[in-house]
Amino acid sequence: MTKLALITGASAGIGHEACALFARKGYRVIALSRQPTGVESADRELALDLTSFEQIEDLAGALDAEIEEAEQVILVNNSGYGQFGALSDLSESMWQKQFSTHVFGPIKLAAVCLRLCEQHGTPLRVIAVSSVLSLTPQKMKGAYCSAKSAMNTAHESFWFDEEGSKSLESVSLVLPGPVKTRFREHALAALQPVLGQASEIHREKYEAMKAALAPGASFKPFTASASDVAKKILTAAEATRPKPRYLVTPQTYVGEFITRFIPRSIQRIILR
């Protein structure tokens, strides 16, 4: 029997690197993505749209035999994207998609995996890839910050709800700061529909955001690689006693310090 890694958002970036790393460590890897592109390191690749509970339930049929044969299951809830823009400019569908991708879908997937693991007596670890912006909100990124913050709370609540399970071993969060992936490219694409309905009062902020997300824009200091984050995911998967949270990049450590020890009135000045 081998360990099984189920990794969402596997077609690129952190998910793609995590697939390769887990494969090198001897795991059987199932890559999950909305539009499968052929993940070479994966043993199997399945299509999954996290905004659809129906698709997540249907996935149970494909995963049942895989989980039955596994020594242990690692679910990595990594899929995500940034819906930026002033909150007053976002449509209902933008809000729904942002939360479905980061909160509703991942928790539903965790619940389905836990149900299957309990049926087969297979241990399960859940690892969610969150963000420093779940700790330190920023202007013009409120929907993404809110969804990632809710992702944290939902996964920790899932642990409290299910900690009596004989299969659920742990639930951990991995919180990176800036990572060199295609995140900015996707965020810029998601921003385009907002620009057409943006209020004039935010125009300068939108121009600054477009410049920061544009191809060729410089990366912030201490930007991590996708491989750096994948290594922390693996650490959470293989730790004897997994931590509730794993921080990546200096920005996340600073954000954790600010939100834990600095008065909120001062936080608003620092994070402005």
Side-chain angles (χ1 to χ4, degrees):
M1 296 179 73
T2 59
K3 295 182 179 181
L4 176 66
L6 309 173
I7 302 173
T8 69
S11 60
I14 295 169
H16 193 272
E17 286 295 323
C19 285
L21 181 57
F22 276 86
R24 290 198 298 271
K25 290 293 183 176
Y27 287 75
R28 178 169 173 80
V29 174
I30 297 182
L32 304 170
S33 54
R34 189 166 54 86
Q35 295 179 325
T37 56
V39 180
E40 304 85 357
S41 57
D43 297 280
R44 190 176 181 186
E45 191 170 9
L46 298 172
L48 177 63
D49 183 351
L50 282 171
T51 66
S52 169
F53 273 30
E54 182 179 0
Q55 278 199 30
I56 297 171
E57 279 291 352
D58 288 345
L59 190 68
L63 295 180
D64 186 66
E66 298 279 1
I67 289 176
E68 184 179 14
E69 295 295 322
E71 173 187 345
Q72 182 189 44
V73 175
I74 309 297
L75 170 62
V76 181
N77 276 329
N78 162 72
S79 184
Y81 74 101
Q83 178 60 70
F84 295 165
L87 299 185
S88 57
D89 291 333
L90 302 185
S91 67
E92 180 180 2
S93 62
M94 291 172 182
W95 277 105
Q96 289 176 339
K97 186 177 179 181
Q98 188 77 159
F99 271 74
S100 291
T101 301
H102 293 102
V103 188
F104 311 146
I107 291 298
K108 177 64 174 178
L109 181 58
V112 167
C113 289
L114 180 59
R115 185 179 75 222
L116 294 173
C117 285
E118 288 178 333
Q119 289 173 5
H120 299 299
T122 307
L124 171 67
R125 292 189 179 189
V126 179
I127 302 167
V129 180
S130 184
S131 168
V132 65
L133 294 183
S134 68
L135 306 175
T136 56
Q138 290 184 2
K139 61 185 176 184
M140 307 295 282
K141 299 177 182 179
Y144 179 73
C145 296
S146 300
K148 283 299 190 181
S149 180
M151 179 187 224
N152 296 356
T153 302
H155 278 82
E156 289 175 339
S157 295
F158 183 77
W159 165 252
F160 286 123
D161 289 348
E162 309 296 344
E163 63 177 329
S165 167
K166 294 181 180 180
S167 287
L168 187 60
E169 290 187 337
S170 62
V171 176
S172 299
L173 297 167
V174 174
L175 287 82
V179 183
K180 193 173 184 179
T181 64
R182 295 177 62 189
F183 179 88
R184 298 195 309 191
E185 175 187 337
H186 295 151
L188 183 58
L191 182 66
Q192 294 304 321
V194 183
L195 298 177
Q197 59 194 39
S199 53
E200 184 66 29
I201 193 172
H202 298 303
R203 184 161 302 280
E204 288 186 8
K205 295 176 184 177
Y206 279 116
E207 291 300 324
M209 176 164 285
K210 285 193 297 181
L213 297 175
S218 60
F219 285 91
K220 296 179 180 179
F222 307 110
T223 293
S225 68
S227 178
D228 293 330
V229 184
K231 289 174 183 176
K232 280 291 177 83
I233 295 171
L234 182 67
T235 297
E238 299 198 327
T240 303
R241 300 184 65 178
K243 299 176 183 178
R245 295 191 175 194
Y246 291 84
L247 309 184
V248 190
T249 74
Q251 290 91 332
T252 312
Y253 285 93
V254 171
E256 178 85 345
F257 177 85
I258 289 173
T259 54
R260 182 177 295 187
F261 298 110
I262 304 297
R264 291 195 177 276
S265 57
I266 306 301
Q267 287 182 36
R268 286 194 171 186
I269 298 172
I270 295 173
L271 299 174
R272 180 179 298 165

